[in-house]
Amino acid sequence: MADLKLALLINAVSPGVGGVLVRGEKGTAKSTIVRALAGLLPPVPAVPGCRFSCDPDDPDPACPDGPHAPGEAGTRAARLVELPVGASEDRLTGSLDIERALTEGVKAFEPGLLAAAHRGVLYVDEVNLLHDHLVDLLLDAAAMGESYVEREGVSVRHAARFLLVGTMNPEEGELRPQLLDRFGLTVEVAATRDPAERAEVVRRRLRFEDDPDGFAAAFAADEADLARRIAAARRRLPGVELTDAALRQITAVCASFEVDGLRADLVTARAAIALAAWHGRDAVTADDVRTAARLALPHRRRRDPFDAPGLDRQKLDEVLEEHGDDPEPPDDPGRPGDSPDGPGGPDGGGGGLPDGAGQDAPVPPPAGPPPEEQSERSVESGGQGRSGESEPAPADAAYKPRLFTVPGLGEGAPGRRSKARSPYGRVSGARPGARGLHLTATLRAAAPHQRERGRTGSGLVVQPEDLREAVRDGREGNLVLFVVDASGSMAARKRMRAVKGAVLSLLLDAYQRRDKVGLITFRGRDADLALPPTSSVEAGARRLDALPTGGRTPLSAGLARAAEVLRVERLRDPARRPLLVVVTDGRATHGPDPSAAAGLLAGVASVVVDCESGPVRLGLAAALGARLGAEVVRLDRLAADALAGVVRDARGGARNVA
């Protein structure tokens, strides 16, 4: 928690750092500590009555509540505005004041959460679950410092500069790279494993529940002192010098870790200056640069959605030593730059394995001949040692796969795969209802009845039956359930490497299209739910990487398990439509004929990835696809560019014939 408190204090001293992303396991008080930040921030000077919190010394000339007369001054408490994951677009950006438009006949703007968060903190709990349309609006506002609203005849621009703080559990999925880069700093949080510290946490929680006011009063003096230190550091901030040596270290570190763009350099510099101000120094030191880089760079080094954030601290120290004037390493390289009051210790924030852990351990050679040297028959009969398993094969490189969709029109969670009626998307019509009001359709429905309703004045007389809601055509995310053959026949001839590469590519595609994913593997005598349906495709990639192979092929068990998983998920989330992806060569060497199990999946949109190879093809996967009513795609034709190559070859052949 020391890293988290330090990151929040850095942003409290210098809001220009750009906010904090808090990653961590559930139940670690991420939300509690973030909400406590608002009480420590200094009051904000603001024009009295301005809904957009204009600065009295520099009011926004385009403020919708302006122009403001000189001399108008006042203060208000710093705000922490929470953005719920399920918020609407209108609630975030603001919209036409429907009540005044219908009753008074005037166009009036009703501000949203971006206006409320201006010059304050915008907090998003479970930010990784935020819908794409809200992410896009946040990106625009964070990039430009302004919010533009163009809808329903309203055209408004207002300032929206805020400190963005988000919390997330990585098990539920990662953030889009564009939004991830907008967070200045990132912190990994984990619960302490020290029994004494855990006991103190429980003790304090119970004390708070017994007497909340008394508990708060016991720490009021400490919090007031912390608020004074933040205010003093803010006053000291403009006088802190970023020396040429410190700037050279910052740019060298960012270049060495190959981060994209220059935002990392700017954020690291601002964080280092804020750290120097917080510690009462007049110039940035190497320790300030080290701590700032440790917080600003890990989430910017991801090259793939499945990469875990991280930073090689040994390399960081080497770069700082090479480009700095102070070659001495810090006293505690595991906990550099902590607040003087913060708890240190090897188990504090940051975490991770020690550098080089496990690198010297010898790796024993696999027993017996390599799997690819055995015949498929010996593999399926358990010829890979006592357990009948082979070592997990590495996956081939991922590629862009073809797009598979669920036919028809769904109404599931917003995403990027199948067509759907969605609260977000292109307006295609209107229907009775009050969710997402369609103003024009509502006015058309109410207009013919004004005389009989005794209308007087400029406002309309609107009744509940007149209300119309917008019908929007968009895209939904689906449940993509992978059923992967991990039997011995798949391990033979190095086929499993290509299979894992294909599934990894489909997982990456599911991540980009905001799908839930599940993974079932079958081998030996049974099928295993390796990954229950989840939004964390990273978990699926990890399970896939460690997937062992070997044994017979219980295809029927795999299909039956898939039917059971889909039945349960249909009860949990009936609006989310499934897409079944079966990856197999079609063999069934154990259990009953798969026809009966395939019948359990009737009506489910399916794809069969045919992994059969060799000069003689039995067509078993194609027969399975026919029983499922599925699209059948050969493994070597799964890539999007492979399909384009087939078309080009066909066209070239036609021209040659002509």
Side-chain angles (χ1 to χ4, degrees):
M1 300 301 283
D3 273 355
L4 174 53
K5 288 186 281 188
L6 185 62
L8 292 174
L9 289 171
I10 289 172
N11 278 274
V13 172
S14 176
V17 169
V20 185
L21 175 64
V22 188
R23 300 164 49 92
E25 58 194 33
K26 51 188 174 291
T28 49
K30 302 185 295 293
S31 301
T32 301
I33 193 170
V34 170
R35 291 189 177 101
L37 176 66
L40 302 175
L41 298 178
V44 177
V47 174
C50 178
R51 297 175 298 168
F52 302 89
S53 302
C54 278
D55 188 343
D57 298 327
D58 185 22
D60 183 0
C63 175
D65 284 355
H68 300 297
E72 294 184 77
T75 60
R76 63 164 175 79
R79 290 178 184 157
L80 186 141
V81 177
E82 296 196 36
L83 171 59
V85 169
S88 66
E89 181 178 334
D90 291 352
R91 186 71 189 97
L92 178 62
T93 62
S95 64
L96 179 69
D97 189 330
I98 300 295
E99 182 178 355
R100 293 189 62 189
L102 294 178
T103 59
E104 302 176 24
V106 298
K107 288 195 300 184
F109 180 68
E110 184 177 1
L113 296 177
L114 290 179
H118 178 48
R119 304 177 66 206
V121 180
L122 182 64
Y123 171 51
V124 189
D125 194 13
E126 305 294 349
V127 63
N128 51 324
L129 304 182
L130 201 62
H131 291 312
D132 279 353
H133 70 291
L134 297 182
V135 171
D136 293 337
L137 293 171
L138 272 183
L139 288 172
D140 289 342
M144 306 180 68
E146 294 179 327
S147 175
Y148 289 87
V149 182
E150 300 282 351
R151 65 163 62 89
E152 296 152 350
V154 173
S155 179
V156 173
R157 182 212 65 82
H158 65 83
R161 293 183 295 276
F162 47 82
L163 182 66
L164 184 61
V165 180
T167 57
M168 60 174 284
N169 183 349
E171 294 177 358
E172 297 173 334
E174 286 290 351
L175 278 178
R176 283 171 55 181
Q178 296 93 331
L179 182 57
L180 189 65
D181 190 50
R182 287 294 170 185
F183 287 96
L185 309 178
T186 187
V187 178
E188 293 280 346
V189 175
T192 177
R193 300 297 184 256
D194 182 355
E197 289 186 1
R198 296 173 75 97
E200 181 62 20
V201 171
V202 174
R203 189 177 297 112
R204 292 191 183 187
R205 177 65 192 183
L206 295 177
R207 283 173 52 198
F208 171 77
E209 292 175 353
D210 290 340
D211 183 12
D213 294 336
F215 183 86
F219 292 93
D222 292 337
E223 291 200 350
D225 180 63
L226 192 57
R228 285 192 294 270
R229 291 186 61 189
I230 291 173
R234 281 193 174 188
R235 293 191 296 269
R236 191 182 299 114
L237 187 68
V240 175
E241 179 187 5
L242 178 63
T243 64
D244 290 342
L247 181 57
R248 183 171 61 252
Q249 287 182 317
I250 290 170
T251 55
V253 166
C254 294
S256 298
F257 283 103
E258 299 180 350
V259 295
D260 294 334
L262 293 173
R263 184 173 288 118
D265 305 65
L266 291 169
V267 170
T268 306
R270 290 172 181 149
I273 294 171
L275 276 166
W278 172 249
H279 290 297
R281 292 190 283 266
D282 296 328
V284 173
T285 67
D287 278 353
D288 296 328
V289 174
R290 178 181 291 105
T291 304
R294 187 166 55 83
L295 297 174
L297 299 186
H299 61 298
R300 292 185 165 89
R301 296 193 60 247
R302 296 182 66 197
R303 288 292 180 270
D304 187 278
F306 300 138
D307 292 341
L311 201 68
D312 186 337
R313 298 193 183 182
Q314 181 177 352
K315 180 179 178 181
L316 174 61
D317 288 337
E318 291 173 354
V319 174
L320 290 174
E321 183 177 349
E322 179 183 353
H323 294 273
D325 297 329
D326 181 10
E328 293 297 326
D331 294 336
D332 183 2
R335 299 289 314 147
D338 274 347
S339 165
D341 305 325
D347 296 327
L353 292 173
D355 291 332
Q359 293 179 357
D360 297 329
V363 179
E372 59 268 23
E373 294 181 6
Q374 304 181 32
S375 68
E376 293 190 19
R377 179 174 299 178
S378 65
V379 169
E380 291 201 356
S381 62
Q384 293 174 301
R386 296 177 183 177
S387 64
E389 296 181 1
S390 66
E391 291 294 324
D396 284 345
Y399 48 82
K400 181 177 179 59
R402 292 173 51 185
L403 171 61
F404 300 105
T405 61
V406 179
L409 198 63
E411 295 185 352
R416 295 182 174 182
R417 182 172 296 277
S418 305
K419 291 183 179 181
R421 297 289 190 198
S422 169
Y424 324 105
R426 182 179 61 85
V427 177
S428 60
R431 62 188 175 192
R435 291 184 57 191
L437 194 66
H438 193 300
L439 181 60
T440 306
T442 299
L443 295 177
R444 283 201 301 264
H449 309 289
Q450 295 306 297
R451 180 175 297 177
E452 63 190 66
R453 293 174 183 173
R455 171 191 171 186
T456 59
S458 58
L460 288 177
V461 180
V462 179
Q463 296 187 357
E465 60 267 22
D466 300 327
L467 298 179
R468 298 292 186 271
E469 63 184 23
V471 175
R472 299 175 181 269
D473 291 340
R475 294 274 175 177
E476 67 177 359
N478 298 111
L479 167 60
V480 182
L481 181 61
F482 295 94
V483 181
V484 181
D485 185 347
S487 65
S489 65
M490 300 294 288
R493 302 173 184 167
K494 300 184 179 180
R495 195 181 305 168
M496 202 60 194
R497 294 184 55 147
V499 169
K500 284 189 174 183
V503 177
L504 187 65
S505 302
L506 292 167
L507 279 171
L508 179 59
D509 184 64
Y511 164 82
Q512 294 170 340
R513 300 186 186 281
R514 306 297 179 266
D515 295 317
K516 288 180 68 175
V517 296
L519 176 63
I520 293 173
T521 62
F522 58 93
R523 63 188 180 90
R525 297 178 178 274
D526 203 358
D528 176 45
L529 181 59
L531 180 71
T534 175
S535 297
S536 177
V537 295
E538 297 81 8
R542 291 193 297 269
R543 304 289 170 85
L544 181 70
D545 184 61
L547 178 64
T549 57
R552 294 186 176 274
T553 312
L555 177 57
S556 180
L559 298 177
R561 190 64 184 273
E564 175 62 18
V565 170
L566 293 181
R567 184 189 67 81
V568 173
E569 286 301 308
R570 194 175 294 115
L571 296 175
R572 290 177 177 172
D573 189 358
R576 188 180 289 269
R577 298 187 295 165
L579 175 64
L580 180 68
V581 180
V582 183
V583 185
T584 181
D585 58 6
R587 293 175 179 237
T589 60
H590 179 78
D593 186 271
S595 299
L600 299 175
L601 295 165
V604 176
S606 306
V607 176
V608 174
V609 179
D610 183 1
C611 301
E612 191 174 20
S613 61
V616 179
R617 302 179 62 87
L618 303 178
L620 298 176
L624 173 64
R627 289 195 291 268
L628 291 173
E631 179 179 358
V632 181
V633 182
R634 285 176 49 181
L635 182 62
D636 57 355
R637 298 296 185 188
L638 185 62
D641 55 357
L643 180 62
V646 172
V647 175
R648 285 194 298 268
D649 293 344
R651 287 179 175 175
R655 282 195 297 269
N656 292 335
V657 171

